[in-house]
Amino acid sequence: MHNAADAPNAIQTEDARTVADHLESLAKRIEGVRDANCVVFGKYAIVGIDVDAKLDRSRVGTIKYSVAEAFRKDRYGIDALVTADVDLAQRLREIRADIMNGRPI
C-alpha cells in the first residue's frame, strides 16, 4: 500500500504550508471564489471555497471544477477535492489554522 507522501513529486510536509498558501491564492483568482482554505498532503489537497450562497448549483459546480482544473494545471500538479459545503469549509479552516500553529495533520 502506498502513502501519498511516497508518490513521485509528493509535497514534503515542510513545504505543504507554502503550497497551501499558493493554492489558496490560486483558488481566490477563480471568478466566484470569495475565500479558500486548503490542506495539502502528498500530491493531494482538500480545498474549501466560499462562494455566494445565492448561486445556483450548476454555477457552484462550474466554479469547483475550475478550481480543481487550476490546481491540476499549476506547477505543483495537485489533485484536489473541492468543496463549497459551508460546514466542511469551516472545518478545513480550523484544520488549516491548527497546521499553521504547528499541529500535525
Side-chain angles (χ1 to χ4, degrees):
M1 182 172 190
H2 291 355
N3 183 324
D6 296 333
N9 301 320
I11 305 300
Q12 300 303 311
T13 303
E14 60 272 6
D15 298 328
R17 290 183 194 176
T18 303
V19 174
D21 288 342
H22 170 75
L23 295 175
E24 286 174 1
S25 176
L26 184 61
K28 291 175 190 176
R29 286 186 257 164
I30 302 297
E31 185 178 342
V33 177
R34 293 178 173 175
D35 195 16
N37 287 282
C38 184
V39 176
V40 174
F41 48 99
K43 287 288 291 172
Y44 304 97
I46 300 175
V47 62
I49 59 172
D50 178 21
V51 297
D52 186 340
K54 296 176 185 172
L55 292 176
D56 63 47
R57 264 188 147 171
S58 64
R59 179 67 183 129
V60 173
T62 301
I63 293 169
K64 289 170 29 180
Y65 180 80
S66 296
V67 171
E69 278 299 297
F71 283 18
R72 235 178 263 122
K73 292 178 181 177
D74 186 63
R75 68 179 182 251
Y76 292 110
I78 296 283
D79 285 321
L81 180 137
V82 182
T83 183
D85 178 271
V86 176
D87 293 331
L88 190 51
Q90 176 59 34
R91 183 64 185 123
L92 287 169
R93 192 173 298 113
E94 293 166 4
I95 292 169
R96 179 86 161 103
D98 288 345
I99 292 169
M100 296 301 290
N101 289 322
R103 189 171 178 194
I105 295 179

